[in-house]
Amino acid sequence: MGVASASTHDIEFRSVSKTYGAVTAVSDINLNVPKGAFMALLGPSGCGKTTCLRMIGGFEQPTSGDVLIDGAMMNGVPAYRRPVNMVFQQYALFPHFNVEQNVAYGLKQMRPKIPAAEISRRAGEALEMVRLGGFGTRRIHEMSGGQQQRVALARAIVNRPSVLLLDEPLAALDKKLRSAMQIELQTLQRELGITFVLVTHDQEEALSMSDFVCVMSAGSIRQIGRPQEIYDHPNELFVADFVGKTNRIEATLETDGKTVRLGNGSALAVLAKPGIQPGPVIVALRPEAIRLERGAANAGSLGGIVTHRIFLGSTAEYSVEVAGLGDLLVTADRKSMTESDLIEPGEKVALVFDPAAAHVFRRSV
């Protein structure tokens, strides 16, 4: 297995690539997951996130590069010899076992053998941790989807792994139950103090649950950071587009580096990052960064007409048609709004935003 060295990271990828024949699933990945962190691998289908998870778990081996867990080289080490457990999307529970038998299964396979009383005690502890104390004799078909998910979690944590891998474990749950289980997973991770790695294509899930988000696309890492950093400071257009909603506006960055000229001739102030050269750019603007004001536009704002309004309870979403630019999405927080503050379709509005809220990216021509 290799000799473990002192490491502040539970998981390390060093220039890891994985190919299947002529297909490259993962290309030159370098990734460090700190001890005790909750890391989300986020990206669209086929981006390589599940391949990375399977290489951590030992279900796949890298074509090149090294995978380490707690400083120990894992290349060639089979899944059953790694300090890792995995919760699959479909849970993979044994339908002919009751809840306690499912949870205890891994302990019964361990060598040297663990006494039956100790197995029962540890299985009971694991069930208590996932709020299923007293459910040990239930059959799997008698459990709800959320309860089955917790049984799978209990089975995964019962042998105290260093790392827990979660392969879209909430995908089969309805929205309300997903929200409840997101909170339970966060609580469980804090109580256990072990490293969690979650694979998901659900940006809301990644942002709400994890300490760090690793955004992937086409087998490569595009950005790693804390959820707020990923959302507020995307380092490229793909990240701005994929994580959250965004408006894309084609423009030209003027030579002063602080002004963009839009397709309809409007000039707006922005704060472009150093290194963005004058010329064709895309301005990415979050819907909630735009403020709507009734009436005509002034200098420094855009004028438009509200075409649609969607009332969402705590917020209202507006589609605003801006001449020469098309439709822009605006989200208004209703905390300080009264019913009369809601803007009706057909009204003229000005769209106002802070220059710092506009993300400017190069545009290929």
Side-chain angles (χ1 to χ4, degrees):
M1 186 181 288
V3 179
S5 60
S7 174
T8 58
H9 302 111
D10 257 336
I11 301 163
E12 296 176 69
F13 276 35
R14 299 177 180 172
S15 300
V16 170
S17 295
K18 177 66 179 178
T19 59
Y20 299 95
V23 177
T24 299
V26 167
S27 177
D28 196 28
I29 293 284
N30 289 285
L31 174 67
N32 295 322
V33 182
K35 284 184 180 294
F38 197 138
M39 170 74 81
L41 303 181
L42 174 67
S45 297
C47 71
K49 58 188 185 296
T50 298
T51 300
C52 288
L53 198 76
R54 291 178 64 82
M55 285 192 286
I56 299 169
F59 302 103
E60 301 282 356
Q61 297 294 335
T63 304
S64 62
D66 299 322
V67 176
L68 293 85
I69 297 177
D70 196 19
M73 188 75 71
M74 289 289 119
N75 293 23
V77 177
Y80 64 87
R81 291 187 58 203
R82 300 189 183 201
V84 169
N85 260 344
M86 191 161 179
V87 178
F88 297 93
Q89 185 173 332
Q90 300 302 327
Y91 313 148
L93 300 172
F94 299 117
H96 55 291
F97 285 172
N98 66 22
V99 167
E100 183 177 339
Q101 289 168 332
N102 265 280
V103 174
Y105 181 80
L107 296 177
K108 290 179 179 178
Q109 311 311 309
M110 295 182 78
R111 298 294 181 269
K113 284 190 173 184
I114 301 174
E118 174 70 2
I119 289 175
S120 182
R121 184 187 67 78
R122 284 174 59 177
E125 274 184 359
L127 286 170
E128 288 286 348
M129 277 189 185
V130 297
R131 283 53 166 185
L132 286 179
F135 284 77
T137 58
R138 290 272 189 98
R139 311 301 295 185
I140 293 302
H141 71 267
E142 296 173 333
M143 308 291 279
S144 69
Q147 289 171 330
Q148 288 185 30
Q149 204 259 10
R150 284 185 276 170
V151 174
L153 278 170
R155 185 179 62 182
I157 64 176
V158 72
N159 61 351
R160 300 162 190 166
S162 299
V163 177
L164 186 64
L165 307 177
L166 303 156
D167 185 11
E168 305 217 38
L170 309 182
L173 305 180
D174 63 57
K175 182 173 176 59
K176 189 172 183 179
L177 187 52
R178 279 172 75 102
S179 298
M181 287 308 304
Q182 286 172 10
I183 293 170
E184 291 205 26
L185 275 175
Q186 287 177 289
T187 302
L188 182 63
Q189 195 265 341
R190 285 196 295 267
E191 288 176 355
L192 294 173
I194 65 177
T195 300
F196 277 30
V197 181
L198 168 74
V199 157
T200 183
H201 64 272
D202 185 324
Q203 52 191 275
E204 183 180 313
E205 195 166 277
L207 294 174
S208 65
M209 293 173 65
S210 58
D211 302 315
F212 299 96
V213 178
C214 172
V215 183
M216 298 184 66
S217 173
S220 299
I221 293 175
R222 311 302 285 264
Q223 186 173 354
I224 301 175
R226 294 194 177 274
Q228 186 173 346
E229 177 189 353
I230 295 287
Y231 189 84
D232 289 342
H233 304 289
N235 63 2
E236 59 173 285
L237 185 57
F238 171 81
V239 177
D241 255 346
F242 188 77
V243 181
K245 296 177 180 178
T246 196
N247 293 293
R248 295 171 52 133
I249 306 171
E250 293 191 1
T252 301
L253 183 64
E254 306 278 71
T255 53
D256 65 2
K258 299 176 182 178
T259 309
V260 290
R261 183 74 57 180
L262 307 184
N264 63 359
S266 302
L268 294 175
V270 294
L271 291 179
K273 293 178 184 176
I276 302 291
Q277 299 299 317
V281 294
I282 296 288
V283 178
L285 195 57
R286 299 288 189 197
E288 68 274 15
I290 304 172
R291 187 175 74 255
L292 291 185
E293 296 179 353
R294 284 185 167 92
N298 300 313
S301 67
L302 294 172
I305 296 174
V306 173
T307 57
H308 296 88
R309 185 189 72 204
I310 301 173
F311 179 69
L312 298 171
S314 60
T315 60
E317 284 190 352
Y318 297 91
S319 180
V320 182
E321 184 179 358
V322 180
L325 300 181
D327 291 338
L328 298 185
L329 181 67
V330 180
T331 302
D333 189 336
R334 291 196 64 236
K335 284 179 182 175
S336 59
M337 293 171 93
T338 64
E339 190 66 28
S340 62
D341 291 327
L342 291 170
I343 298 170
E344 299 298 329
E347 286 194 58
K348 285 186 176 181
V349 290
L351 291 78
V352 183
F353 61 90
D354 184 334
H359 302 291
V360 181
F361 303 104
R362 287 190 187 89
R363 171 164 55 100
S364 56
V365 292

